[in-house]
Amino acid sequence: YVHLPFCEVICHYCDFYTARAKDARHEEFFEALNLEAQQNLPKLSQPLDALYFGGGTPSVSPPHLLHAFIDLFRPHLTPDTEITMEANPANINPENVKAWKAAGINRISLGVQSLDNPTLKRLGRVHSAESALESIRLIASEIKNVSADLIYGVPEQDKEIPAIHAKALAEAGATHVSAYHLTIPASHFLHRRLPDDAYAWDQIELVAEALAQRGFRHYEVSNFGLPGKESRNNGNYWRGGPYLALGPSAHGFDGDRTRWKNVADWEAYVRRLKNGGSPLDETEILTDDQRKIEVVFTSLRTLEGLDLTAFRARFREDLQSRHAAFFAKLEEEKLASLSNEKLVLSFRGRMLADEIAAKLL
Ligand code: SF4
């Protein structure tokens, strides 16, 4: 995972570490990023399954700097490596798309959020619905794997709207849709205008139906993909696999117990690397209990579900015997099914995944 923090506009609801693009010194930033990559390359013992540029808005980065950065990883890439970049519709033009493709980027994740112009305005987005759809068509003409983000649970949004938007995204050429429930801090003026959970679940159910008609699988609570277009990068997170993390505020994981986080300040990040130091800010060694929580919470959100055999082998704990009555209740209420030692939540069950996970721990 590579974090590129710069954004043209800082959205009021954003939780990620971001910085204003107008203050960016891209050459200097990428020099530091290249140094961090070189420090980490010796740790790669096998070809990369996925390389993911997240942010921020990575698409505001000069394409030649992205290309040179990807070149550092070239010996570890295969024709099969998924190379994703998050992009904003405002940065989509034929030159950029061609340059990204030439750099090896084979998947674009586009921050559409909505296809309703007043909603986009309320969310503080700089693009329009028309430009978002046009962007998908343009990307899809060069790069065959295009994901689009949608937000549902928006104040004053009709129930059917997210599904209508999801259908339009698929028709424009999106191969993957991520639909996120809008979350707003309780102190924010929009918070009290949010619809209740039941309304938002109805919205996502309609999204799932609209996309299923076009062959998309609802493979994780928030994610829908055509067969073979599921996000490999996210799949690795959900399976608890290892990943390196580069860039300010990026989090890494060794696949076992150790997590680490880089400093969340791009200028401090650049300074440290320039001076021969490390951008590392925190390291955390997870306890068995913390790992258990992560495994249960992430796996129940996916279509693969919670593998009870693997859980027993790893944590010496038999969830099936301990929660026999609860499992039976979940099956009876059609919230989950149990087969081949896997607990898989139904659509409604996945909407309650966090509550169900909490009961198992
Ligand atoms: S563009 Fe995306 S990353 Fe940047 S501030 Fe807005 S929501 Fe956050």
mmCIF file of all heavy atoms in Angstrom, residues 85-110:
data_model
loop_
_atom_site.group_PDB
_atom_site.id
_atom_site.type_symbol
_atom_site.label_atom_id
_atom_site.label_comp_id
_atom_site.label_asym_id
_atom_site.label_seq_id
_atom_site.Cartn_x
_atom_site.Cartn_y
_atom_site.Cartn_z
ATOM 1 N N MET A 85 -4.839 2.371 -8.781
ATOM 2 C CA MET A 85 -4.650 3.745 -8.315
ATOM 3 C C MET A 85 -6.016 4.381 -8.079
ATOM 4 O O MET A 85 -6.900 4.303 -8.937
ATOM 5 C CB MET A 85 -3.882 4.572 -9.336
ATOM 6 C CG MET A 85 -3.572 5.968 -8.799
ATOM 7 S SD MET A 85 -2.664 6.967 -9.976
ATOM 8 C CE MET A 85 -3.959 7.342 -11.115
ATOM 9 N N GLU A 86 -6.191 4.994 -6.917
ATOM 10 C CA GLU A 86 -7.414 5.761 -6.670
ATOM 11 C C GLU A 86 -7.319 7.056 -7.473
ATOM 12 O O GLU A 86 -6.244 7.661 -7.564
ATOM 13 C CB GLU A 86 -7.536 6.085 -5.178
ATOM 14 C CG GLU A 86 -7.784 4.846 -4.336
ATOM 15 C CD GLU A 86 -7.838 5.135 -2.839
ATOM 16 O OE1 GLU A 86 -7.666 6.307 -2.442
ATOM 17 O OE2 GLU A 86 -8.025 4.178 -2.077
ATOM 18 N N ALA A 87 -8.446 7.452 -8.065
ATOM 19 C CA ALA A 87 -8.414 8.649 -8.911
ATOM 20 C C ALA A 87 -9.682 9.462 -8.728
ATOM 21 O O ALA A 87 -10.730 8.937 -8.346
ATOM 22 C CB ALA A 87 -8.271 8.243 -10.379
ATOM 23 N N ASN A 88 -9.545 10.742 -9.003
ATOM 24 C CA ASN A 88 -10.683 11.647 -8.950
ATOM 25 C C ASN A 88 -11.124 11.950 -10.385
ATOM 26 O O ASN A 88 -10.263 12.164 -11.248
ATOM 27 C CB ASN A 88 -10.225 12.940 -8.254
ATOM 28 C CG ASN A 88 -11.385 13.856 -7.964
ATOM 29 O OD1 ASN A 88 -12.122 14.245 -8.863
ATOM 30 N ND2 ASN A 88 -11.558 14.183 -6.706
ATOM 31 N N PRO A 89 -12.437 11.979 -10.656
ATOM 32 C CA PRO A 89 -12.880 12.259 -12.027
ATOM 33 C C PRO A 89 -12.266 13.542 -12.601
ATOM 34 O O PRO A 89 -12.044 13.635 -13.812
ATOM 35 C CB PRO A 89 -14.403 12.392 -11.886
ATOM 36 C CG PRO A 89 -14.734 11.536 -10.704
ATOM 37 C CD PRO A 89 -13.572 11.681 -9.757
ATOM 38 N N ALA A 90 -11.949 14.507 -11.733
ATOM 39 C CA ALA A 90 -11.387 15.774 -12.228
ATOM 40 C C ALA A 90 -10.024 15.584 -12.898
ATOM 41 O O ALA A 90 -9.584 16.432 -13.669
ATOM 42 C CB ALA A 90 -11.262 16.765 -11.067
ATOM 43 N N ASN A 91 -9.339 14.475 -12.590
ATOM 44 C CA ASN A 91 -8.002 14.255 -13.165
ATOM 45 C C ASN A 91 -8.017 13.303 -14.359
ATOM 46 O O ASN A 91 -6.957 12.902 -14.847
ATOM 47 C CB ASN A 91 -7.045 13.674 -12.109
ATOM 48 C CG ASN A 91 -6.977 14.500 -10.858
ATOM 49 O OD1 ASN A 91 -7.230 14.009 -9.775
ATOM 50 N ND2 ASN A 91 -6.669 15.778 -11.008
ATOM 51 N N ILE A 92 -9.218 12.908 -14.791
ATOM 52 C CA ILE A 92 -9.274 11.930 -15.887
ATOM 53 C C ILE A 92 -9.274 12.664 -17.228
ATOM 54 O O ILE A 92 -10.175 13.457 -17.514
ATOM 55 C CB ILE A 92 -10.544 11.039 -15.779
ATOM 56 C CG1 ILE A 92 -10.629 10.382 -14.389
ATOM 57 C CG2 ILE A 92 -10.567 9.983 -16.890
ATOM 58 C CD1 ILE A 92 -9.493 9.487 -14.008
ATOM 59 N N ASN A 93 -8.240 12.406 -18.010
ATOM 60 C CA ASN A 93 -8.174 12.912 -19.384
ATOM 61 C C ASN A 93 -7.361 11.893 -20.183
ATOM 62 O O ASN A 93 -6.664 11.048 -19.588
ATOM 63 C CB ASN A 93 -7.579 14.329 -19.432
ATOM 64 C CG ASN A 93 -6.196 14.371 -18.827
ATOM 65 O OD1 ASN A 93 -5.315 13.621 -19.239
ATOM 66 N ND2 ASN A 93 -5.995 15.231 -17.833
ATOM 67 N N PRO A 94 -7.449 11.932 -21.522
ATOM 68 C CA PRO A 94 -6.794 10.877 -22.318
ATOM 69 C C PRO A 94 -5.290 10.775 -22.048
ATOM 70 O O PRO A 94 -4.747 9.675 -21.982
ATOM 71 C CB PRO A 94 -7.072 11.302 -23.764
ATOM 72 C CG PRO A 94 -8.301 12.144 -23.690
ATOM 73 C CD PRO A 94 -8.255 12.844 -22.368
ATOM 74 N N GLU A 95 -4.610 11.906 -21.844
ATOM 75 C CA GLU A 95 -3.148 11.864 -21.631
ATOM 76 C C GLU A 95 -2.819 11.145 -20.325
ATOM 77 O O GLU A 95 -1.936 10.285 -20.286
ATOM 78 C CB GLU A 95 -2.544 13.285 -21.567
ATOM 79 C CG GLU A 95 -2.661 14.093 -22.844
ATOM 80 C CD GLU A 95 -4.101 14.533 -23.139
ATOM 81 O OE1 GLU A 95 -4.835 14.896 -22.189
ATOM 82 O OE2 GLU A 95 -4.510 14.477 -24.317
ATOM 83 N N ASN A 96 -3.531 11.517 -19.251
ATOM 84 C CA ASN A 96 -3.253 10.876 -17.961
ATOM 85 C C ASN A 96 -3.530 9.378 -18.028
ATOM 86 O O ASN A 96 -2.733 8.565 -17.561
ATOM 87 C CB ASN A 96 -4.116 11.495 -16.856
ATOM 88 C CG ASN A 96 -3.489 12.751 -16.282
ATOM 89 O OD1 ASN A 96 -2.327 13.051 -16.565
ATOM 90 N ND2 ASN A 96 -4.245 13.486 -15.490
ATOM 91 N N VAL A 97 -4.678 9.010 -18.611
ATOM 92 C CA VAL A 97 -5.049 7.582 -18.636
ATOM 93 C C VAL A 97 -3.995 6.790 -19.408
ATOM 94 O O VAL A 97 -3.552 5.720 -18.968
ATOM 95 C CB VAL A 97 -6.469 7.395 -19.234
ATOM 96 C CG1 VAL A 97 -6.791 5.920 -19.419
ATOM 97 C CG2 VAL A 97 -7.515 8.039 -18.325
ATOM 98 N N LYS A 98 -3.548 7.334 -20.525
ATOM 99 C CA LYS A 98 -2.517 6.636 -21.327
ATOM 100 C C LYS A 98 -1.208 6.533 -20.534
ATOM 101 O O LYS A 98 -0.537 5.502 -20.550
ATOM 102 C CB LYS A 98 -2.266 7.386 -22.639
ATOM 103 C CG LYS A 98 -3.358 7.139 -23.661
ATOM 104 C CD LYS A 98 -2.874 7.496 -25.075
ATOM 105 C CE LYS A 98 -3.842 7.007 -26.128
ATOM 106 N NZ LYS A 98 -5.087 7.774 -26.210
ATOM 107 N N ALA A 99 -0.857 7.618 -19.835
ATOM 108 C CA ALA A 99 0.400 7.613 -19.065
ATOM 109 C C ALA A 99 0.314 6.607 -17.911
ATOM 110 O O ALA A 99 1.283 5.900 -17.617
ATOM 111 C CB ALA A 99 0.684 9.013 -18.534
ATOM 112 N N TRP A 100 -0.849 6.527 -17.244
ATOM 113 C CA TRP A 100 -0.999 5.561 -16.137
ATOM 114 C C TRP A 100 -0.889 4.137 -16.672
ATOM 115 O O TRP A 100 -0.248 3.287 -16.075
ATOM 116 C CB TRP A 100 -2.352 5.751 -15.431
ATOM 117 C CG TRP A 100 -2.503 7.094 -14.770
ATOM 118 C CD1 TRP A 100 -1.501 7.899 -14.295
ATOM 119 C CD2 TRP A 100 -3.728 7.807 -14.521
ATOM 120 N NE1 TRP A 100 -2.031 9.056 -13.766
ATOM 121 C CE2 TRP A 100 -3.387 9.025 -13.885
ATOM 122 C CE3 TRP A 100 -5.074 7.532 -14.768
ATOM 123 C CZ2 TRP A 100 -4.353 9.969 -13.494
ATOM 124 C CZ3 TRP A 100 -6.034 8.456 -14.379
ATOM 125 C CH2 TRP A 100 -5.673 9.662 -13.755
ATOM 126 N N LYS A 101 -1.538 3.920 -17.834
ATOM 127 C CA LYS A 101 -1.489 2.577 -18.423
ATOM 128 C C LYS A 101 -0.037 2.220 -18.778
ATOM 129 O O LYS A 101 0.431 1.111 -18.515
ATOM 130 C CB LYS A 101 -2.375 2.538 -19.672
ATOM 131 C CG LYS A 101 -2.499 1.158 -20.266
ATOM 132 C CD LYS A 101 -3.372 1.185 -21.493
ATOM 133 C CE LYS A 101 -3.459 -0.186 -22.126
ATOM 134 N NZ LYS A 101 -4.193 -0.147 -23.390
ATOM 135 N N ALA A 102 0.678 3.188 -19.358
ATOM 136 C CA ALA A 102 2.080 2.934 -19.739
ATOM 137 C C ALA A 102 2.927 2.633 -18.501
ATOM 138 O O ALA A 102 3.895 1.874 -18.569
ATOM 139 C CB ALA A 102 2.638 4.140 -20.490
ATOM 140 N N ALA A 103 2.548 3.209 -17.359
ATOM 141 C CA ALA A 103 3.304 2.955 -16.118
ATOM 142 C C ALA A 103 3.013 1.556 -15.582
ATOM 143 O O ALA A 103 3.736 1.060 -14.721
ATOM 144 C CB ALA A 103 2.936 4.001 -15.074
ATOM 145 N N GLY A 104 1.941 0.933 -16.065
ATOM 146 C CA GLY A 104 1.605 -0.424 -15.610
ATOM 147 C C GLY A 104 0.353 -0.477 -14.753
ATOM 148 O O GLY A 104 -0.033 -1.553 -14.282
ATOM 149 N N ILE A 105 -0.278 0.683 -14.527
ATOM 150 C CA ILE A 105 -1.498 0.684 -13.701
ATOM 151 C C ILE A 105 -2.603 -0.030 -14.489
ATOM 152 O O ILE A 105 -2.886 0.329 -15.637
ATOM 153 C CB ILE A 105 -1.879 2.134 -13.327
ATOM 154 C CG1 ILE A 105 -0.818 2.680 -12.359
ATOM 155 C CG2 ILE A 105 -3.277 2.206 -12.717
ATOM 156 C CD1 ILE A 105 -0.862 4.166 -12.138
ATOM 157 N N ASN A 106 -3.177 -1.074 -13.881
ATOM 158 C CA ASN A 106 -4.178 -1.858 -14.617
ATOM 159 C C ASN A 106 -5.540 -1.862 -13.930
ATOM 160 O O ASN A 106 -6.438 -2.628 -14.291
ATOM 161 C CB ASN A 106 -3.688 -3.289 -14.867
ATOM 162 C CG ASN A 106 -3.231 -3.967 -13.584
ATOM 163 O OD1 ASN A 106 -3.673 -3.590 -12.499
ATOM 164 N ND2 ASN A 106 -2.346 -4.942 -13.704
ATOM 165 N N ARG A 107 -5.683 -1.011 -12.907
ATOM 166 C CA ARG A 107 -6.988 -0.902 -12.238
ATOM 167 C C ARG A 107 -7.100 0.517 -11.678
ATOM 168 O O ARG A 107 -6.181 0.985 -11.003
ATOM 169 C CB ARG A 107 -7.085 -1.930 -11.115
ATOM 170 C CG ARG A 107 -8.423 -1.977 -10.411
ATOM 171 C CD ARG A 107 -8.480 -3.183 -9.457
ATOM 172 N NE ARG A 107 -9.767 -3.314 -8.826
ATOM 173 C CZ ARG A 107 -10.084 -2.747 -7.661
ATOM 174 N NH1 ARG A 107 -9.197 -2.015 -7.011
ATOM 175 N NH2 ARG A 107 -11.283 -2.909 -7.156
ATOM 176 N N ILE A 108 -8.217 1.179 -11.985
ATOM 177 C CA ILE A 108 -8.448 2.525 -11.445
ATOM 178 C C ILE A 108 -9.655 2.452 -10.523
ATOM 179 O O ILE A 108 -10.679 1.851 -10.860
ATOM 180 C CB ILE A 108 -8.731 3.544 -12.583
ATOM 181 C CG1 ILE A 108 -7.498 3.723 -13.477
ATOM 182 C CG2 ILE A 108 -9.193 4.890 -12.019
ATOM 183 C CD1 ILE A 108 -6.355 4.504 -12.875
ATOM 184 N N SER A 109 -9.509 3.052 -9.351
ATOM 185 C CA SER A 109 -10.626 3.126 -8.416
ATOM 186 C C SER A 109 -11.063 4.588 -8.375
ATOM 187 O O SER A 109 -10.329 5.453 -7.882
ATOM 188 C CB SER A 109 -10.159 2.638 -7.045
ATOM 189 O OG SER A 109 -11.178 2.825 -6.114
ATOM 190 N N LEU A 110 -12.230 4.849 -8.940
ATOM 191 C CA LEU A 110 -12.667 6.228 -9.157
ATOM 192 C C LEU A 110 -13.618 6.687 -8.043
ATOM 193 O O LEU A 110 -14.627 6.033 -7.771
ATOM 194 C CB LEU A 110 -13.378 6.297 -10.518
ATOM 195 C CG LEU A 110 -13.567 7.678 -11.115
ATOM 196 C CD1 LEU A 110 -12.227 8.302 -11.502
ATOM 197 C CD2 LEU A 110 -14.465 7.604 -12.350
#
